[in-house]
Amino acid sequence: MPQVEVATVVAGGSAVVRPPVDGEPCVLIKLGEVVLKGKNRERFERRLADNLRDAVRPIARVDVIRRHGVMIVRTKDATVEKVDALAERITDVMGIVWAHRAWRVDKDPESVERAALELMAGREGTFAVRSRRRDKRFPLTSTELDRKVGAAIGGRYGLKVRLKDPDHTVSIEIDRDEAFVFSGGLPGQGGLPVGMSGRGLVLMSGGIDSPVAAYRMMRRGLRVDYLHFSGMPFTGPESIYKAYALVRELDRFQGGSRLFVVPFGKAQQQIKSSGADRLAVIAQRRLMLRTGEVLARRLGAGTLITGDALGQVSSQTLTNITALDDAVEMPILRPLIGMDKSEIMDQARRVRTLAISELPDEDCCTLLAPRRAETRARIDDLRQIERRLDVGELADQLAGSVQEHRPVYGDAAA
Ligand code: ATP
Ligand code: MG
């Protein structure tokens, strides 16, 4: 059997020499939007490799090997079960399109054929073999390899080849140092690695929308922290438990999430007694944003994120959104702005936050909902109310009163 070339392992930056291996289970990863070239691509891949190692740390210590357009995750004493668990966890890491549980074998036609036969053992129905060569020095062309392996599978198990819509696809990828053989794969999230695009602070209610907004911005490479306003001391702590549970679930996409909670009840009462009336909801949303901006600066975050969707509720008309933007200097990102509620709910289901969001709680906003909310808030009127309240001072105070929590994905319910 030909010797496998020494793989360059990027873990920790230093190259590690490995003995040649025949038939080792590993995870082969297809990268997302690697439209970025040159230095950015390097950054993308390094960040992704770091994020991968962090995400799977509770399962195993791994080496992440970068190749052109793919990455390979290997671990010592790899078993099929361990690699299954790794692949499953890896699908939550942003920037990945596919995670394939693959056999890493010596780079010769016989080893590839043996692995393919093993993979197809016990299967029924039709199949196709699809080979790709990232290294063109391999002795067979892709078509020749397809034919050879296909004939072996057909001969051994009596299965029929079907190129269009087969029941099973055997994929073979010939790489620089080795070959990979796999069938099927787990879809990833796509997008960019978390941390590529900077930091943001998500205004997180206990509702359906804001968790989806957080997910969508993490998928675009933002690392996010969360800010929740509770109605305490005039409501119970239920909304905080919900926010905590939501952040813990979303933490699987980035790790290290922080949840900041502000007791907002007294400030809401002040808004109410300031005579804000129909403007109370917008005035309070402006105060949330201002408080968020103070906290975001302290955290080194460059943007606020909300779950607003145009026209979804009366506070989200174009006029009101304009009035909200006026409250802060920082850009407010609203990734759900053009989405229908049903689309948002579908995504919430996939992200696994919907069931948590649907739990009952006492949303702080119900404390001061007027009979008829203003849909065309005038900025001048809002500013006048805010002068009476001294909102700058109030926002500083509120940002100073935050309690920090660290919900960790996989931790038992608090
Ligand atoms: P959600 O489903 O996210 O609660 P919503 O449709 O109920 O949104 P609003 O209550 O108007 O809409 O809130 C719009 C956005 O304002 C939310 O998506 C969230 O970003 C922010 N927000 C509202 N209430 C709170 C809160 N109590 N704490 C933090 N952010 C909030
Ligand atoms: Mg809400």
Side-chain angles (χ1 to χ4, degrees):
M1 201 149 298
Q3 291 276 299
V4 181
E5 273 177 52
V6 171
T8 308
V9 179
V10 294
S14 60
V16 178
V17 176
R18 296 204 161 279
V21 186
D22 189 10
E24 170 199 275
C26 67
V27 187
L28 179 69
I29 292 172
K30 299 293 166 68
L31 307 188
E33 224 169 277
V34 199
V35 286
L36 309 159
K37 301 252 158 42
K39 274 215 177 69
N40 276 336
R41 180 187 184 117
E42 176 76 15
R43 234 164 41 88
F44 180 111
E45 294 191 353
R46 278 188 185 284
R47 178 72 71 165
L48 183 57
D50 287 345
N51 293 355
L52 281 167
R53 275 190 292 271
D54 287 346
V56 303
R57 190 154 292 139
I59 302 170
R61 291 192 74 82
V62 297
D63 291 332
V64 180
I65 301 158
R66 296 188 289 158
R67 289 290 160 70
H68 193 73
V70 305
M71 283 189 180
I72 302 137
V73 175
R74 296 177 61 189
T75 182
K76 268 208 209 80
D77 309 320
T79 60
V80 171
E81 292 73 31
K82 202 191 257 183
V83 167
D84 280 354
L86 286 173
E88 190 75 43
R89 186 68 187 89
I90 280 170
T91 59
D92 290 330
V93 177
M94 300 297 190
I96 287 166
V97 174
W98 286 101
H100 301 288
R101 289 158 295 185
W103 286 97
R104 175 175 180 272
V105 299
D106 283 353
K107 192 177 156 183
D108 62 75
E110 290 69 36
S111 299
V112 167
E113 184 178 303
R114 243 194 339 270
L117 282 169
E118 206 166 306
L119 206 60
M120 288 301 289
R123 302 210 194 190
E124 288 172 6
T126 56
F127 76 100
V129 181
R130 303 222 158 91
S131 307
R132 282 182 56 185
R133 301 182 310 164
R134 275 190 286 279
D135 181 352
K136 307 286 183 201
R137 292 169 306 176
F138 195 70
L140 303 182
T141 66
S142 302
T143 317
E144 286 165 352
L145 189 57
D146 287 351
R147 291 223 179 92
K148 175 176 162 57
V149 173
I153 293 171
R156 172 82 62 92
Y157 304 119
L159 302 180
K160 286 255 163 329
V161 172
R162 185 166 166 194
L163 295 181
K164 197 165 169 271
D165 270 337
D167 296 316
H168 309 282
T169 302
V170 177
S171 302
I172 299 169
E173 302 197 357
I174 305 298
D175 219 312
R176 199 184 69 194
D177 303 337
E178 69 264 273
F180 299 96
V181 184
F182 57 93
S183 182
L186 305 173
Q189 310 296 326
L192 304 172
V194 166
M196 281 279 290
S197 309
R199 275 179 183 278
L201 182 64
V202 178
L203 274 69
M204 183 79 163
S205 66
I208 293 168
D209 305 329
S210 35
V212 176
Y215 168 81
R216 293 180 77 99
M217 293 325 300
M218 282 189 277
R219 202 173 62 181
R220 293 314 297 165
L222 269 191
R223 165 161 284 284
V224 301
D225 289 305
Y226 299 87
L227 174 59
H228 173 71
F229 295 88
S230 90
M232 301 260 277
F234 303 121
T235 63
E238 291 77 14
S239 79
I240 303 174
Y241 299 156
K242 271 178 82 175
Y244 190 97
L246 288 165
V247 173
R248 186 177 51 202
E249 193 60 50
L250 291 167
D251 185 55
R252 75 182 196 276
F253 298 112
Q254 64 169 20
S257 310
R258 292 177 290 186
L259 168 64
F260 299 91
V261 176
V262 174
F264 201 49
K266 288 195 179 134
Q268 288 179 302
Q269 213 162 42
Q270 275 175 267
I271 292 174
K272 195 164 188 173
S273 51
S274 74
D277 196 36
R278 286 178 64 177
L279 288 174
V281 172
I282 301 296
Q284 101 160 356
R285 292 284 312 279
R286 279 170 61 107
L287 183 54
M288 285 182 184
L289 291 165
R290 279 182 204 271
T291 307
E293 186 174 46
V294 175
L295 180 63
R297 292 231 159 90
R298 202 196 299 155
L299 299 173
T303 179
L304 300 171
I305 297 148
T306 73
D308 295 313
L310 188 62
Q312 193 194 79
V313 291
S314 60
S315 59
Q316 297 171 16
T317 61
L318 191 54
T319 318
N320 286 351
I321 285 175
T322 309
L324 293 175
D325 281 342
D326 170 74
V328 289
E329 281 169 17
M330 214 171 249
I332 302 171
L333 300 182
R334 298 180 172 90
L336 313 188
I337 197 72
M339 288 174 78
D340 285 2
K341 193 75 187 185
S342 60
E343 292 171 317
I344 298 170
M345 289 179 73
D346 285 346
Q347 184 131 68
R349 205 170 287 117
R350 283 201 298 279
V351 174
R352 305 208 298 253
T353 53
L354 184 63
I356 306 170
S357 296
E358 284 179 339
L359 293 171
D361 75 338
E362 206 178 352
D363 183 14
C364 73
C365 301
T366 55
L367 283 179
L368 81 175
R371 279 182 308 280
R372 269 189 67 212
E374 182 58 71
T375 54
R376 297 170 62 85
R378 288 187 35 189
I379 291 171
D380 284 346
D381 297 344
L382 286 160
R383 288 188 179 163
Q384 207 171 0
I385 295 164
E386 288 169 349
R387 270 195 294 277
R388 292 203 290 271
L389 286 170
D390 195 359
V391 282
E393 176 65 24
L394 194 51
D396 284 339
Q397 254 175 36
L398 289 166
S401 73
V402 292
Q403 277 196 320
E404 183 179 335
H405 303 269
R406 297 259 179 166
V408 176
Y409 173 65
D411 271 9

